[in-house]
Amino acid sequence: NAGVTQTPKFQVLKTGQSMTLQCAQDMNHEYMSWYRQDPGMGLRLIHYSVGAGITDQGEVPNGYNVSRSTTEDFPLRLLSAAPSQTSVYFCASSYAGPPYEQYFGPGTRLTVT
Amino acid sequence: RKEVEQDPGPFNVPEGATVAFNCTYSNSASQSFFWYRQDCRKEPKLLMSVYSSGNEDGRFTAQLNRASQYISLLIRDSKLSDSATYLCVVHSGGGADGLTFGKGTHLIIQP
C-alpha cells in the first residue's frame, strides 16, 4: 500500500514551459486535491475532485488544469509556467465524507525561472 | 479575512517541558477541527482530531472552545522529536474541500 505518490519530487522550469505533476493513490479514495504551499501563506487549495470525471476549482486555480479519468490518478497541469508558480505542491486524498482526514503525497518542489 | 490564525512562533522549548499553543477560527459554523504535524520539507500528517469533549493521545491533548472560537494543543514532556510545524485545520462545511489550513506554529525542542 503506497498511499499517495507524486512525481517528480523536484522540477525546474523556464517561464512559459508547460508540465504535468503526477499524483496517484491506492486507497480507493473518492476525493483528491492539489494544494500549493508558500512561505507565510499556508496550504492553499488549487483544484479538487470528488470522483472520476468530476473536478472543481479551489481557492487559487488560475494557471492550472486538472482531470480525473480514474479514481487513482489526478494530474495537475501547468499550462504556461510563471515565476509566481514557484512553490511546493502537495497532492492529497481522502474519503468524500467525514472525518475528512487528508493523506498527503510527499510533494513536488517546483522552481520557475 | 483570516479564517484560521496561528502564532507562527518559533516556540523554543527545553526538552521535558510542557508547551501549548492556540488556533483561532472565524467561522462560528465550523464543525470539525484537526491538528496536523509537518516536519521540515515533508508532507503534513494528521496528528489528532479535536472533539467537543477534548481529545488526549499520550502526551498530546487537544481542546476546543466554541464560545471563544479557538482550539488548543498541549504537549507534555516534550521530546526532541516533537520539533515540527503544527498546522491547525478547520472544516467549515461542504465536503473535504471545506478544509482551511492555518499557516502553522513552528516548535523547536531544545536539548
Side-chain angles (χ1 to χ4, degrees):
Chain A
N1 191 336
V4 180
T5 58
Q6 287 184 239
T7 56
K9 290 187 177 177
F10 301 94
Q11 183 70 50
V12 178
L13 291 178
K14 293 187 186 321
T15 297
Q17 288 184 316
S18 63
M19 78 160 295
T20 299
L21 308 185
Q22 301 292 344
C23 173
Q25 53 92 11
D26 61 0
M27 296 174 281
N28 205 30
H29 285 162
E30 303 95 351
Y31 180 85
M32 296 186 74
S33 58
W34 278 100
Y35 290 89
R36 61 178 289 174
Q37 187 174 39
D38 302 292
M41 297 294 292
L43 283 157
R44 291 183 292 169
L45 183 64
I46 304 172
H47 284 285
Y48 65 96
S49 168
V50 297
I54 305 170
T55 63
D56 209 341
Q57 296 181 352
E59 181 186 355
V60 288
N62 292 342
Y64 308 95
N65 272 356
V66 292
S67 60
R68 184 96 178 268
S69 56
T70 67
T71 300
E72 295 78 19
D73 300 296
F74 191 46
L76 177 73
R77 282 183 291 279
L78 279 70
L79 308 173
S80 177
S84 60
Q85 293 179 304
T86 293
S87 187
V88 180
Y89 292 84
F90 289 104
C91 179
S93 74
S94 73
Y95 293 111
Y100 305 118
E101 176 183 354
Q102 299 297 300
Y103 293 81
F104 286 86
T108 295
R109 296 185 174 275
L110 175 68
T111 301
V112 183
T113 61
Chain B
R1 181 186 61 160
K2 296 181 179 179
E3 297 187 23
V4 178
E5 286 197 59
Q6 295 184 251
D7 182 340
F11 283 56
N12 289 283
V13 174
E15 191 176 8
T18 295
V19 59
F21 28 84
N22 293 338
C23 161
T24 60
Y25 60 94
S26 60
N27 187 342
S28 59
S30 299
Q31 292 297 317
S32 305
F33 309 88
F34 312 89
W35 284 104
Y36 278 70
R37 172 192 169 126
Q38 186 172 23
D39 293 304
C40 186
R41 302 178 76 83
K42 298 286 189 180
E43 72 273 22
K45 293 183 179 179
L46 180 68
L47 177 66
M48 59 198 309
S49 302
V50 187
Y51 305 122
S52 296
S53 56
N55 190 17
E56 185 172 321
D57 184 4
R59 299 181 293 108
F60 296 82
T61 300
Q63 301 245 318
L64 168 64
N65 185 316
R66 284 195 184 275
S68 300
Q69 293 185 205
Y70 74 86
I71 65 173
S72 63
L73 180 65
L74 177 82
I75 305 174
R76 291 182 297 277
D77 188 23
S78 53
K79 312 291 185 191
L80 295 176
S81 57
D82 294 333
S83 297
T85 296
Y86 291 84
L87 307 178
C88 169
V89 183
V90 176
H91 183 255
S92 301
D97 59 292
L99 293 170
T100 301
F101 286 77
K103 296 177 184 180
T105 295
H106 189 199
L107 175 65
I108 301 171
I109 306 299
Q110 297 175 327

